[in-house]
Amino acid sequence: MKIKQERSIHICLLSDTHELHNELDVPSAEILVHCGDFSMFSRNMLAIKDFNRWLGELPHRHRIVIPGNHEFFLENDPSRRSMLSNAIVLINEGIEIEGLHIWGSPVTGRDGGAFGIGSPEKRRKLYAQIPKNTDILITHGAPYGVLDSAPGSGFHSGCRELFDAVTSIRPKLHAFGDVHGSYGIFHTDHTTFVNAALLGPDGGIDKAPIVLRMERK
């Protein structure tokens, strides 16, 4: 007997937990995505090992993690992705899961942090590698002008080259973090944008993971 596959799938999104993962109440979903900054500048390797333990105890069928600008330990030695054995780690690469094409990048436009690329031209070349059939784009950095500005601020910290890539590719979902003050969801005709950064202004977790339902192909 062939079991009918559900047409929709639930995706749980979170980012910028900065070693506070144990404080989270994580909703159920088929896929969990962490958009980076699970450490504090990679200073505490025991906390990173504990993050991997925590991932392994979650019930989600698939767990995807991309690094953020705090994950120097992965920038310096990509083989250390084996420390996150309970997740799929994406560093400028893609994977197909549950019929969905997913591509992830830890890059931001800031020099100084892990995976920072200050050159707009180099970022443009990187994002040109994103497959045109991408359904879910996961980045640590935000696209320019979309959930990339703290409340009351006119400063946009997102990347113009990333925004251009997203508007060209038109993924169903673009999930990211990095900008702590811009947590939320923004819909366009083609793409749902989610800033899933959970860290609040006082240094604690003050937001909840976001769950979305997507239709399979």
Side-chain angles (χ1 to χ4, degrees), residues 81-120:
R81 68 172 67 199
S82 61
M83 294 180 64
L84 300 180
S85 58
N86 291 318
I88 298 165
V89 180
L90 297 179
I91 301 177
N92 300 323
E93 58 195 318
I95 192 171
E96 182 178 349
I97 293 177
E98 302 272 355
L100 296 170
H101 294 91
I102 303 169
W103 199 89
S105 173
V107 166
T108 68
R110 299 189 303 273
D111 287 323
F115 300 100
I117 298 180
S119 165

Side-chain angles (χ1 to χ4, degrees), residues 85-212:
S85 58
N86 291 318
I88 298 165
V89 180
L90 297 179
I91 301 177
N92 300 323
E93 58 195 318
I95 192 171
E96 182 178 349
I97 293 177
E98 302 272 355
L100 296 170
H101 294 91
I102 303 169
W103 199 89
S105 173
V107 166
T108 68
R110 299 189 303 273
D111 287 323
F115 300 100
I117 298 180
S119 165
E121 183 58 31
K122 289 182 179 179
R123 293 197 303 274
R124 189 176 296 110
K125 289 181 178 178
L126 170 65
Y127 297 136
Q129 301 174 20
I130 303 173
K132 298 299 183 183
N133 65 344
T134 297
D135 298 302
I136 300 175
L137 178 62
I138 309 164
T139 61
H140 182 61
Y144 183 84
V146 183
L147 300 173
D148 69 334
S149 180
S153 169
F155 174 74
H156 294 278
S157 60
C159 173
R160 293 181 184 274
E161 293 70 34
L162 178 57
F163 176 82
D164 290 344
V166 175
T167 54
S168 174
I169 297 165
R170 295 180 176 179
K172 296 178 182 177
L173 170 64
H174 180 197
F176 51 92
D178 191 37
V179 188
H180 297 172
S182 296
Y183 168 94
I185 303 173
F186 180 77
H187 298 282
T188 68
D189 290 341
H190 304 288
T191 301
T192 295
F193 295 86
V194 176
N195 181 329
L198 304 186
L199 199 72
D202 297 325
I205 299 290
D206 68 351
K207 302 172 185 68
I210 293 172
V211 176
L212 297 180

Side-chain angles (χ1 to χ4, degrees), residues 26-133:
V26 183
S28 61
E30 286 76 31
I31 301 175
L32 177 132
V33 173
H34 195 298
C35 303
D37 277 6
F38 49 85
S39 72
M40 285 295 291
F41 299 105
S42 302
R43 292 171 181 157
N44 188 341
M45 300 309 287
L46 289 178
I48 293 170
K49 291 179 179 179
D50 186 69
F51 177 67
N52 185 55
R53 172 205 58 79
W54 175 79
L55 286 169
E57 294 177 355
L58 296 175
H60 308 76
R61 283 205 301 267
H62 311 281
R63 297 172 293 275
I64 301 172
V65 173
I66 65 166
N69 58 289
H70 279 243
E71 275 70 72
F72 289 96
F73 80 104
L74 284 172
E75 181 187 46
N76 297 334
D77 184 359
S79 69
R80 284 183 168 180
R81 68 172 67 199
S82 61
M83 294 180 64
L84 300 180
S85 58
N86 291 318
I88 298 165
V89 180
L90 297 179
I91 301 177
N92 300 323
E93 58 195 318
I95 192 171
E96 182 178 349
I97 293 177
E98 302 272 355
L100 296 170
H101 294 91
I102 303 169
W103 199 89
S105 173
V107 166
T108 68
R110 299 189 303 273
D111 287 323
F115 300 100
I117 298 180
S119 165
E121 183 58 31
K122 289 182 179 179
R123 293 197 303 274
R124 189 176 296 110
K125 289 181 178 178
L126 170 65
Y127 297 136
Q129 301 174 20
I130 303 173
K132 298 299 183 183
N133 65 344

